[in-house]
Amino acid sequence: MEKQYVPKEVEQKWQQNWQQTQAFRVTEDSEKPKFYLLEMFPYPSGRIHMGHVRNYAIGDVVARFKRMQGFNVLHPMGWDAFGMPAENAAIEHGTHPKKWTYENIASMREQLKRMGLSYDWQREFATCDPEYSRWEQLIFLKMLEAGLAYKKGSSVNWCPDCQTVLANEQVEDGSCWRCDNLVEQKELDQWFFKITDYADELLEGTDKLPGWPERVLAMQRNWIGKSYGCEIEFPVADKETKIKVFTTRPDTLFGATFMSLAPEHPLVKSLISAEQQGAVADFIAQVERQDKIQRTSGELEKLGVFTGSYAINPLTGDQIPVFLANFVLMDYGTGAVMAVPAHDQRDFEFARKYELPIRVVIQPEGESLVAETMDAAHTGTGLLVNSGQFDGIENEAAKEQIADYLDSRGEGRKTINYRLRDWGVSRQRYWGTPIPIIYCETCGAVPVPEKDLPVLLPEDVELTGEGGSPLARHQDFLQVACPKCSQPARRESDTFDTFVESSWYFARYACPDYQNAPLDKKAANYWLPVDQYIGGIEHAVMHLLYARFFTKVLRDLNMLDVDEPFTNLLTQGMVCMETQRCAEHGWLYPEQISSGNCTLCGRPAELGRTEKMSKSKKNVVDPNLLIEQYGADTARLFSLFAAPPEKDLEWNEQGVEGCARFLGRVWRAVCDNLELIADVEVARTAEGAAAELRRKTHQTIKKVTEDIDGRFHFNTAIAAVMELVNAIYAFKLGQQHPEVLREALEAVVRLLNPFVPHASEELWQMLGHQQSVEAAGWPAFDAAALVADELTLVVQVNGKVRGKIEVPAAAEKAEIEAAAQADPNVQRYIEGKQIRKVIVVPKRLINIVVA
RNA sequence: GCCCGGGUGGCGGAACUGGUAGACGCAAGGGACUUAAAAUCCCUCGGGAGCAAUCCUGUACGAGUUCGAUUCUCGUCCCGGGUACCA
């Protein structure tokens, strides 16, 4: 008899079944085509949040859909397990990062399993596992051999009080986020990866990724920031030295009337004249006091100081003053800029401020600029003037010609400049992968021999947040014999940026237990590239660019044969929620508010901005509560039905009820009809009124297939199934046509499987099937069933809807026109008027144009 | 500033290549069932006029192209994201 829908029981049953049968394990020796589906792995922060639910629900729909379509689907899960929150927890609560991390993983794994996600759990790993570190360290050693990793001095944000390095986001208004002391810039020796060697390939690759969203590609292109220009050498008057500048506008060289150098420029010392000594020293001290963020904030006042030296413009021969300027950056271009005030807004303002000459060298068409009366720089196109032999040439052409001329005289050359910098990977932190290097006084930086890998993190450390990295104070860890000369040496105490781990984890999933190398080339080549990658838009540049870089490095190290890691990318929107705060207690969790008041003090809660759900703002919803109350299937369905995946989602639980109700409706539709359809086969054809339900069934199959495959419009796919269920409820001919009813019900159950797999399996079993619904495969639509005998056409007069007509599907144009004109309401509008034109859009409408 | 998105009922959203604007769901209102409630089932639901048939109006705003525009073009306003003294 009728069986109640109890989500908890159904979900437990099927989750156990999947675990016991290892339903989602895959191997490389399959007859089926492979499909690698991956969602960005989570940081084990402790609890699953709504963003995870959304991300993994989306992924699981695709995984189950592809599996039903007959693909050999790799769908793995793991943990991005190194990072600062573990250290902060240790500082605040005294728990060891390792313990904290693995405990979090254990509880999050349980939460994910309760969602019924179809992962191959055999392949699970955490990036803090020693096995993973071992292979990451080996990749680093190979990069070192290949010249792709190197060490250089670089400035970092440094808190002198905490004795530690701060990330940019840990600097608040120039002060340390923990102790409020002023942050300084400190020069440290750090390891870098030569991502700039791959700048061109990474850029060109953006044109070969049609499966990526255009905006992500645009962001990556901007980030790489390739610009074509020219390096020009300016001799310094009365000195042997030359200053090299980079410019994208060699066409304006005749207008260069002064020069601006970065205060850190290595030539600065040799350029300062005796009388400018004091002013320059003051200026440099002032700039040094500003941290990186202030320095590049844009609102900073443009300041400069004259060095006392002059450079010679190679084309005009004029002596031009050399300034230091706070807006010139040492790490872009050459750290020196030729200033053309007439044609660069920044130089224009600087020239006006310090009363420097302005020389117009490009005249826009139909205007004649005069330096004295200009109130802004002219940065557009025009013809060259005041430019000697180049006068009258269009400035775009002059870029080439002047560059060639300089080249022929040995005073400059065309160059390409990138905004992209090499990737600094050293972190002065404990909870990360140790960089496998040993420093020896005689042998220098010596790689740890492969046989000694992995370099393990010592566990007996004290984390206080002060005095720098605990590794740098851990003598047992630090003191080691030099692998080359056996003399006492010192181990590197820095660890890798955690982006290194996430740059190759997707490849390790192909062979998580492989013992001989980072990758089993055969397995990796079978599975890679990832066919569909799914994750948050916030990783559009960093993670996705680093992963692309690493893939190319692994290829060049002969560990892998693919060029790009992710063929198709789906960037999912954020889950947002309004923030609330109390005047006394700060941010409030939603459950700390009752009827608009803070439950701690009774004051009214103030409504804040709607923002991405985050622990720090306390605007979070615990998905567990949702799963407890409604079950995993409803939680999954709801997160998919609320909005298309790429859109931001403002959290609102009002729709949950509707999804739960819908599943109840599906359940009852099957249960209530079980007896009726017990012994019938699914329909192959249908006639008369029954054909309508059959048509709806096959239309739905078609629409859901198209919505999921490639478009990811899960909300409309679900809506289509809802329509079919509504049609089943409205179907009054079940007694006469049980086979049509069975076909419709089976279609609903199969189409819903990717969304609500537990309920689907249970219903499929109730429908009398031995094998699983997943094994039953994805339904195909019958094109013949889609064809209707009669069509409803809209009749317009002059573009306005005036009626609807029913015509046979095979009706000719003339027949349709006659029927349209016979419609009484249509006649009111065409009566006595001349018909100018009749437009018939097949299967849709007819538009009668009258005078 | 520059580069990407986006703006549709009370709400989330739909309309795929220019062809019935508002699918599906939520909320709201009404009804059936019930001693009652819950659950369930059915109906109404952009705004305005009308007893009704039906008509007018409506996709941020203003123009344009078209037989026909939420969709294409131009301009304006607003919102979101990215990025920035980038030479």
Side-chain angles (χ1 to χ4, degrees), chain A residues 397-421:
Chain A
K399 284 181 181 173
E400 284 289 300
Q401 294 185 23
I402 292 181
D404 289 339
Y405 178 71
L406 287 168
D407 198 2
S408 72
R409 306 208 328 170
E411 290 168 336
R413 66 211 60 81
K414 284 186 217 167
T415 54
I416 290 165
N417 198 43
Y418 297 91
R419 206 186 77 96
L420 183 71
R421 318 281 156 74

PDB file of all heavy atoms in Angstrom, chain A residues 397-421:
ATOM      1  N   ALA A 397      51.830  54.828 -37.369  1.00  0.00           N
ATOM      2  CA  ALA A 397      52.924  54.405 -38.248  1.00  0.00           C
ATOM      3  C   ALA A 397      54.268  54.836 -37.675  1.00  0.00           C
ATOM      4  O   ALA A 397      55.274  54.135 -37.796  1.00  0.00           O
ATOM      5  CB  ALA A 397      52.731  54.987 -39.644  1.00  0.00           C
ATOM      6  N   ALA A 398      54.262  55.983 -37.017  1.00  0.00           N
ATOM      7  CA  ALA A 398      55.510  56.521 -36.478  1.00  0.00           C
ATOM      8  C   ALA A 398      56.064  55.652 -35.353  1.00  0.00           C
ATOM      9  O   ALA A 398      57.272  55.632 -35.105  1.00  0.00           O
ATOM     10  CB  ALA A 398      55.276  57.948 -35.965  1.00  0.00           C
ATOM     11  N   LYS A 399      55.187  54.915 -34.650  1.00  0.00           N
ATOM     12  CA  LYS A 399      55.671  54.013 -33.601  1.00  0.00           C
ATOM     13  C   LYS A 399      56.710  53.056 -34.170  1.00  0.00           C
ATOM     14  O   LYS A 399      57.783  52.879 -33.610  1.00  0.00           O
ATOM     15  CB  LYS A 399      54.504  53.208 -33.013  1.00  0.00           C
ATOM     16  CG  LYS A 399      53.630  53.994 -32.059  1.00  0.00           C
ATOM     17  CD  LYS A 399      52.510  53.118 -31.496  1.00  0.00           C
ATOM     18  CE  LYS A 399      51.641  53.947 -30.561  1.00  0.00           C
ATOM     19  NZ  LYS A 399      50.448  53.218 -30.098  1.00  0.00           N
ATOM     20  N   GLU A 400      56.345  52.447 -35.305  1.00  0.00           N
ATOM     21  CA  GLU A 400      57.238  51.520 -35.985  1.00  0.00           C
ATOM     22  C   GLU A 400      58.506  52.220 -36.460  1.00  0.00           C
ATOM     23  O   GLU A 400      59.616  51.786 -36.187  1.00  0.00           O
ATOM     24  CB  GLU A 400      56.544  50.949 -37.239  1.00  0.00           C
ATOM     25  CG  GLU A 400      55.509  49.897 -36.992  1.00  0.00           C
ATOM     26  CD  GLU A 400      56.110  48.581 -36.523  1.00  0.00           C
ATOM     27  OE1 GLU A 400      56.917  47.999 -37.273  1.00  0.00           O
ATOM     28  OE2 GLU A 400      55.799  48.168 -35.389  1.00  0.00           O
ATOM     29  N   GLN A 401      58.296  53.342 -37.158  1.00  0.00           N
ATOM     30  CA  GLN A 401      59.420  53.994 -37.844  1.00  0.00           C
ATOM     31  C   GLN A 401      60.450  54.530 -36.868  1.00  0.00           C
ATOM     32  O   GLN A 401      61.649  54.415 -37.085  1.00  0.00           O
ATOM     33  CB  GLN A 401      58.901  55.129 -38.740  1.00  0.00           C
ATOM     34  CG  GLN A 401      58.056  54.592 -39.893  1.00  0.00           C
ATOM     35  CD  GLN A 401      57.633  55.678 -40.858  1.00  0.00           C
ATOM     36  OE1 GLN A 401      58.273  56.732 -40.948  1.00  0.00           O
ATOM     37  NE2 GLN A 401      56.559  55.435 -41.589  1.00  0.00           N
ATOM     38  N   ILE A 402      59.971  55.121 -35.788  1.00  0.00           N
ATOM     39  CA  ILE A 402      60.926  55.661 -34.817  1.00  0.00           C
ATOM     40  C   ILE A 402      61.653  54.523 -34.104  1.00  0.00           C
ATOM     41  O   ILE A 402      62.864  54.580 -33.871  1.00  0.00           O
ATOM     42  CB  ILE A 402      60.219  56.610 -33.826  1.00  0.00           C
ATOM     43  CG1 ILE A 402      59.776  57.869 -34.574  1.00  0.00           C
ATOM     44  CG2 ILE A 402      61.122  56.963 -32.648  1.00  0.00           C
ATOM     45  CD1 ILE A 402      59.076  58.921 -33.730  1.00  0.00           C
ATOM     46  N   ALA A 403      60.924  53.439 -33.808  1.00  0.00           N
ATOM     47  CA  ALA A 403      61.567  52.290 -33.168  1.00  0.00           C
ATOM     48  C   ALA A 403      62.651  51.725 -34.082  1.00  0.00           C
ATOM     49  O   ALA A 403      63.771  51.423 -33.639  1.00  0.00           O
ATOM     50  CB  ALA A 403      60.523  51.230 -32.830  1.00  0.00           C
ATOM     51  N   ASP A 404      62.330  51.588 -35.384  1.00  0.00           N
ATOM     52  CA  ASP A 404      63.316  51.062 -36.334  1.00  0.00           C
ATOM     53  C   ASP A 404      64.533  51.984 -36.441  1.00  0.00           C
ATOM     54  O   ASP A 404      65.668  51.525 -36.508  1.00  0.00           O
ATOM     55  CB  ASP A 404      62.679  50.895 -37.725  1.00  0.00           C
ATOM     56  CG  ASP A 404      61.689  49.739 -37.757  1.00  0.00           C
ATOM     57  OD1 ASP A 404      61.786  48.851 -36.866  1.00  0.00           O
ATOM     58  OD2 ASP A 404      60.812  49.724 -38.640  1.00  0.00           O
ATOM     59  N   TYR A 405      64.250  53.280 -36.453  1.00  0.00           N
ATOM     60  CA  TYR A 405      65.333  54.263 -36.570  1.00  0.00           C
ATOM     61  C   TYR A 405      66.266  54.172 -35.363  1.00  0.00           C
ATOM     62  O   TYR A 405      67.488  54.145 -35.496  1.00  0.00           O
ATOM     63  CB  TYR A 405      64.715  55.665 -36.684  1.00  0.00           C
ATOM     64  CG  TYR A 405      65.724  56.784 -36.765  1.00  0.00           C
ATOM     65  CD1 TYR A 405      66.501  56.971 -37.908  1.00  0.00           C
ATOM     66  CD2 TYR A 405      65.894  57.660 -35.689  1.00  0.00           C
ATOM     67  CE1 TYR A 405      67.420  57.997 -37.979  1.00  0.00           C
ATOM     68  CE2 TYR A 405      66.816  58.695 -35.751  1.00  0.00           C
ATOM     69  CZ  TYR A 405      67.579  58.857 -36.893  1.00  0.00           C
ATOM     70  OH  TYR A 405      68.491  59.874 -36.952  1.00  0.00           O
ATOM     71  N   LEU A 406      65.682  54.075 -34.155  1.00  0.00           N
ATOM     72  CA  LEU A 406      66.488  53.966 -32.946  1.00  0.00           C
ATOM     73  C   LEU A 406      67.320  52.685 -32.987  1.00  0.00           C
ATOM     74  O   LEU A 406      68.502  52.681 -32.629  1.00  0.00           O
ATOM     75  CB  LEU A 406      65.592  53.942 -31.698  1.00  0.00           C
ATOM     76  CG  LEU A 406      64.936  55.261 -31.317  1.00  0.00           C
ATOM     77  CD1 LEU A 406      63.867  55.023 -30.257  1.00  0.00           C
ATOM     78  CD2 LEU A 406      65.967  56.272 -30.821  1.00  0.00           C
ATOM     79  N   ASP A 407      66.693  51.619 -33.444  1.00  0.00           N
ATOM     80  CA  ASP A 407      67.376  50.336 -33.520  1.00  0.00           C
ATOM     81  C   ASP A 407      68.586  50.437 -34.435  1.00  0.00           C
ATOM     82  O   ASP A 407      69.679  49.982 -34.100  1.00  0.00           O
ATOM     83  CB  ASP A 407      66.379  49.283 -34.042  1.00  0.00           C
ATOM     84  CG  ASP A 407      66.851  47.871 -33.753  1.00  0.00           C
ATOM     85  OD1 ASP A 407      67.921  47.716 -33.124  1.00  0.00           O
ATOM     86  OD2 ASP A 407      66.156  46.923 -34.152  1.00  0.00           O
ATOM     87  N   SER A 408      68.385  51.096 -35.580  1.00  0.00           N
ATOM     88  CA  SER A 408      69.485  51.194 -36.545  1.00  0.00           C
ATOM     89  C   SER A 408      70.645  52.001 -35.978  1.00  0.00           C
ATOM     90  O   SER A 408      71.789  51.823 -36.376  1.00  0.00           O
ATOM     91  CB  SER A 408      68.982  51.819 -37.850  1.00  0.00           C
ATOM     92  OG  SER A 408      68.730  53.201 -37.630  1.00  0.00           O
ATOM     93  N   ARG A 409      70.356  52.891 -35.044  1.00  0.00           N
ATOM     94  CA  ARG A 409      71.417  53.704 -34.450  1.00  0.00           C
ATOM     95  C   ARG A 409      71.918  53.110 -33.141  1.00  0.00           C
ATOM     96  O   ARG A 409      72.730  53.707 -32.437  1.00  0.00           O
ATOM     97  CB  ARG A 409      70.917  55.128 -34.176  1.00  0.00           C
ATOM     98  CG  ARG A 409      70.338  55.753 -35.448  1.00  0.00           C
ATOM     99  CD  ARG A 409      70.428  57.235 -35.495  1.00  0.00           C
ATOM    100  NE  ARG A 409      70.325  57.909 -34.211  1.00  0.00           N
ATOM    101  CZ  ARG A 409      70.582  59.199 -34.064  1.00  0.00           C
ATOM    102  NH1 ARG A 409      70.957  59.931 -35.097  1.00  0.00           N
ATOM    103  NH2 ARG A 409      70.474  59.759 -32.874  1.00  0.00           N
ATOM    104  N   GLY A 410      71.371  51.941 -32.775  1.00  0.00           N
ATOM    105  CA  GLY A 410      71.799  51.283 -31.543  1.00  0.00           C
ATOM    106  C   GLY A 410      71.338  52.001 -30.285  1.00  0.00           C
ATOM    107  O   GLY A 410      71.924  51.833 -29.217  1.00  0.00           O
ATOM    108  N   GLU A 411      70.289  52.789 -30.391  1.00  0.00           N
ATOM    109  CA  GLU A 411      69.811  53.543 -29.229  1.00  0.00           C
ATOM    110  C   GLU A 411      68.520  52.987 -28.641  1.00  0.00           C
ATOM    111  O   GLU A 411      68.008  53.531 -27.667  1.00  0.00           O
ATOM    112  CB  GLU A 411      69.587  55.003 -29.628  1.00  0.00           C
ATOM    113  CG  GLU A 411      70.878  55.715 -29.896  1.00  0.00           C
ATOM    114  CD  GLU A 411      70.688  57.076 -30.561  1.00  0.00           C
ATOM    115  OE1 GLU A 411      69.656  57.293 -31.220  1.00  0.00           O
ATOM    116  OE2 GLU A 411      71.598  57.900 -30.423  1.00  0.00           O
ATOM    117  N   GLY A 412      68.014  51.942 -29.269  1.00  0.00           N
ATOM    118  CA  GLY A 412      66.773  51.362 -28.739  1.00  0.00           C
ATOM    119  C   GLY A 412      66.401  50.141 -29.520  1.00  0.00           C
ATOM    120  O   GLY A 412      67.026  49.817 -30.531  1.00  0.00           O
ATOM    121  N   ARG A 413      65.409  49.423 -29.013  1.00  0.00           N
ATOM    122  CA  ARG A 413      64.922  48.235 -29.729  1.00  0.00           C
ATOM    123  C   ARG A 413      63.478  47.970 -29.328  1.00  0.00           C
ATOM    124  O   ARG A 413      63.056  48.342 -28.235  1.00  0.00           O
ATOM    125  CB  ARG A 413      65.811  47.023 -29.454  1.00  0.00           C
ATOM    126  CG  ARG A 413      65.803  46.517 -28.034  1.00  0.00           C
ATOM    127  CD  ARG A 413      67.122  45.904 -27.654  1.00  0.00           C
ATOM    128  NE  ARG A 413      68.228  46.859 -27.762  1.00  0.00           N
ATOM    129  CZ  ARG A 413      68.522  47.783 -26.821  1.00  0.00           C
ATOM    130  NH1 ARG A 413      67.795  47.877 -25.725  1.00  0.00           N
ATOM    131  NH2 ARG A 413      69.527  48.611 -26.981  1.00  0.00           N
ATOM    132  N   LYS A 414      62.776  47.342 -30.269  1.00  0.00           N
ATOM    133  CA  LYS A 414      61.383  46.966 -29.968  1.00  0.00           C
ATOM    134  C   LYS A 414      61.392  45.875 -28.903  1.00  0.00           C
ATOM    135  O   LYS A 414      62.185  44.940 -28.977  1.00  0.00           O
ATOM    136  CB  LYS A 414      60.706  46.426 -31.220  1.00  0.00           C
ATOM    137  CG  LYS A 414      60.317  47.507 -32.194  1.00  0.00           C
ATOM    138  CD  LYS A 414      59.520  46.896 -33.334  1.00  0.00           C
ATOM    139  CE  LYS A 414      59.878  47.588 -34.643  1.00  0.00           C
ATOM    140  NZ  LYS A 414      59.388  46.873 -35.808  1.00  0.00           N
ATOM    141  N   THR A 415      60.531  45.987 -27.941  1.00  0.00           N
ATOM    142  CA  THR A 415      60.439  44.947 -26.916  1.00  0.00           C
ATOM    143  C   THR A 415      58.981  44.686 -26.595  1.00  0.00           C
ATOM    144  O   THR A 415      58.087  45.439 -26.973  1.00  0.00           O
ATOM    145  CB  THR A 415      61.132  45.354 -25.601  1.00  0.00           C
ATOM    146  OG1 THR A 415      60.599  46.606 -25.201  1.00  0.00           O
ATOM    147  CG2 THR A 415      62.618  45.418 -25.731  1.00  0.00           C
ATOM    148  N   ILE A 416      58.820  43.604 -25.874  1.00  0.00           N
ATOM    149  CA  ILE A 416      57.489  43.251 -25.394  1.00  0.00           C
ATOM    150  C   ILE A 416      57.570  43.240 -23.878  1.00  0.00           C
ATOM    151  O   ILE A 416      58.541  42.726 -23.314  1.00  0.00           O
ATOM    152  CB  ILE A 416      57.069  41.879 -25.941  1.00  0.00           C
ATOM    153  CG1 ILE A 416      56.815  41.993 -27.447  1.00  0.00           C
ATOM    154  CG2 ILE A 416      55.817  41.376 -25.226  1.00  0.00           C
ATOM    155  CD1 ILE A 416      56.738  40.672 -28.136  1.00  0.00           C
ATOM    156  N   ASN A 417      56.619  43.827 -23.249  1.00  0.00           N
ATOM    157  CA  ASN A 417      56.634  43.894 -21.792  1.00  0.00           C
ATOM    158  C   ASN A 417      55.378  43.228 -21.254  1.00  0.00           C
ATOM    159  O   ASN A 417      54.335  43.258 -21.889  1.00  0.00           O
ATOM    160  CB  ASN A 417      56.692  45.358 -21.359  1.00  0.00           C
ATOM    161  CG  ASN A 417      57.139  45.495 -19.936  1.00  0.00           C
ATOM    162  OD1 ASN A 417      58.072  44.835 -19.499  1.00  0.00           O
ATOM    163  ND2 ASN A 417      56.466  46.342 -19.191  1.00  0.00           N
ATOM    164  N   TYR A 418      55.514  42.587 -20.114  1.00  0.00           N
ATOM    165  CA  TYR A 418      54.369  41.920 -19.492  1.00  0.00           C
ATOM    166  C   TYR A 418      54.119  42.508 -18.111  1.00  0.00           C
ATOM    167  O   TYR A 418      55.047  42.870 -17.399  1.00  0.00           O
ATOM    168  CB  TYR A 418      54.627  40.417 -19.340  1.00  0.00           C
ATOM    169  CG  TYR A 418      54.791  39.707 -20.650  1.00  0.00           C
ATOM    170  CD1 TYR A 418      56.048  39.562 -21.229  1.00  0.00           C
ATOM    171  CD2 TYR A 418      53.698  39.192 -21.313  1.00  0.00           C
ATOM    172  CE1 TYR A 418      56.207  38.914 -22.439  1.00  0.00           C
ATOM    173  CE2 TYR A 418      53.836  38.539 -22.523  1.00  0.00           C
ATOM    174  CZ  TYR A 418      55.094  38.408 -23.086  1.00  0.00           C
ATOM    175  OH  TYR A 418      55.243  37.770 -24.288  1.00  0.00           O
ATOM    176  N   ARG A 419      52.857  42.537 -17.761  1.00  0.00           N
ATOM    177  CA  ARG A 419      52.486  42.936 -16.412  1.00  0.00           C
ATOM    178  C   ARG A 419      52.725  41.758 -15.446  1.00  0.00           C
ATOM    179  O   ARG A 419      52.987  41.937 -14.274  1.00  0.00           O
ATOM    180  CB  ARG A 419      51.001  43.313 -16.397  1.00  0.00           C
ATOM    181  CG  ARG A 419      50.599  44.287 -15.340  1.00  0.00           C
ATOM    182  CD  ARG A 419      49.086  44.445 -15.371  1.00  0.00           C
ATOM    183  NE  ARG A 419      48.449  43.300 -14.752  1.00  0.00           N
ATOM    184  CZ  ARG A 419      48.060  43.284 -13.476  1.00  0.00           C
ATOM    185  NH1 ARG A 419      48.226  44.332 -12.719  1.00  0.00           N
ATOM    186  NH2 ARG A 419      47.506  42.218 -12.971  1.00  0.00           N
ATOM    187  N   LEU A 420      52.579  40.564 -15.986  1.00  0.00           N
ATOM    188  CA  LEU A 420      52.772  39.344 -15.199  1.00  0.00           C
ATOM    189  C   LEU A 420      54.169  39.302 -14.592  1.00  0.00           C
ATOM    190  O   LEU A 420      55.152  39.585 -15.264  1.00  0.00           O
ATOM    191  CB  LEU A 420      52.572  38.131 -16.116  1.00  0.00           C
ATOM    192  CG  LEU A 420      52.655  36.744 -15.484  1.00  0.00           C
ATOM    193  CD1 LEU A 420      51.451  36.486 -14.622  1.00  0.00           C
ATOM    194  CD2 LEU A 420      52.786  35.674 -16.563  1.00  0.00           C
ATOM    195  N   ARG A 421      54.263  38.994 -13.312  1.00  0.00           N
ATOM    196  CA  ARG A 421      55.571  38.840 -12.661  1.00  0.00           C
ATOM    197  C   ARG A 421      55.766  37.382 -12.307  1.00  0.00           C
ATOM    198  O   ARG A 421      54.811  36.631 -12.219  1.00  0.00           O
ATOM    199  CB  ARG A 421      55.631  39.618 -11.335  1.00  0.00           C
ATOM    200  CG  ARG A 421      55.023  40.959 -11.352  1.00  0.00           C
ATOM    201  CD  ARG A 421      55.944  41.971 -11.992  1.00  0.00           C
ATOM    202  NE  ARG A 421      55.125  43.075 -12.487  1.00  0.00           N
ATOM    203  CZ  ARG A 421      54.575  43.988 -11.695  1.00  0.00           C
ATOM    204  NH1 ARG A 421      54.773  43.945 -10.404  1.00  0.00           N
ATOM    205  NH2 ARG A 421      53.836  44.952 -12.210  1.00  0.00           N
TER     206      ARG A 421
END
